[in-house]
């Protein structure tokens, strides 16, 4: 029943208005735009986000030495299964200078242990770049969100077009009724 009600705009009908055809074409255009643009914008966004995450310009890996024991998290409730704690470490920068500071280290690591450390362009500790699985998940999530947002934007635009057409039809109906109504109700 719903399909017949929607398809009436395409049938030959003496009561069909130009605005009915325009509304039907707006719906078709919105459907085509959603079918083409949503996957395209989603894929482009996913690729862009994955590219940005995997590149991480300016990061390089070095080795650091713990200068104190990393605190243990035994008996402490943590959110993660593999918690890290900030611990004092020492490392050499690319220009040969020795620096020290605090960096995330696995809890319970002993003093003197060599650990991998990612440094930014200024030679300061940085979180390691995401792995391939994380890049894929984050890129896919961003692409999916943009695809949904594209569909929402196109659907909202179609809804606005339909509301404006309805408003124009109501105004036309009121104008026509203003001329015909008094003759039917015998109020002149």
């Amino acid at each position: 029943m719903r399909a017949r009600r929607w398809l009436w705009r395409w049938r030959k009908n003496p009561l069909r208005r130009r605005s009915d055809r325009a509304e039907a074409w707006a719906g078709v255009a919105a459907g085509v735009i959603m079918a083409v643009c949503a996957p395209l914008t989603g894929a482009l966004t996913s690729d862009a986000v994955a590219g940005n995450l995997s590149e991480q310009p300016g990061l390089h890996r070095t080795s650091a030495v713990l200068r104190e024991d990393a605190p243990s998290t035994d008996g402490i409730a943590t959110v993660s299964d593999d918690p890290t704690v900030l611990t004092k470490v020492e490392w050499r920068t690319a220009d040969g200078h020795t620096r020290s500071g605090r960096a995330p280290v696995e809890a319970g690591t002993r003093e003197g242990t060599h650990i991998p450390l990612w440094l930014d362009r200024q030679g300061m500790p940085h979180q390691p770049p995401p792995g391939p699985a994380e890049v894929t998940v984050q890129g896919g999530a961003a692409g999916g969100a943009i695809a949904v947002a594209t569909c929402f934007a196109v659907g909202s635009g179609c809804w606005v077009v339909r509301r404006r057409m309805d408003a124009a039809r109501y105004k036309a109906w009121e104008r026509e009724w203003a001329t015909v109504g008094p003759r039917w109700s015998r109020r002149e």
Side-chain angles (χ1 to χ4, degrees), residues 15-170:
L15 299 177
R16 184 179 65 183
R17 302 165 286 202
R18 257 181 42 204
S19 63
D20 294 331
R21 285 191 302 272
E23 183 178 344
W25 279 111
V28 168
V32 168
I33 291 171
M34 281 184 203
V36 171
C37 289
L40 183 64
T41 57
L44 291 174
T45 301
S46 178
D47 288 346
V49 168
N52 286 342
L53 287 175
S54 62
E55 287 173 9
Q56 292 288 328
L59 288 184
H60 66 279
R61 186 177 176 169
T62 188
S63 180
V65 179
L66 260 68
R67 290 298 170 211
E68 64 184 20
D69 289 342
S72 176
T73 56
D74 292 339
I76 300 173
T78 59
V79 177
S80 172
D81 290 338
D82 185 28
T84 57
V85 291
L86 290 177
T87 308
K88 188 174 182 179
V89 295
E90 192 173 274
W91 67 92
R92 284 199 182 275
T93 60
D95 57 3
H97 291 89
T98 302
R99 287 198 178 169
S100 64
R102 295 200 171 271
V105 177
E106 190 173 323
T109 307
R110 296 281 175 215
E111 180 180 354
T113 305
H114 288 271
I115 60 161
L117 184 65
W118 288 88
L119 301 176
D120 60 14
R121 289 184 182 150
Q122 289 78 28
M124 298 306 294
H126 193 276
Q127 291 291 335
E134 188 177 350
V135 167
T136 301
V137 168
Q138 287 187 11
I146 293 298
V148 168
T150 301
C151 288
F152 180 76
V154 171
S156 297
C158 185
W159 180 81
V160 167
V161 167
R162 289 189 61 200
R163 291 300 135 223
R164 289 186 181 245
M165 286 182 181
D166 286 343
R169 285 189 284 245
Y170 292 148

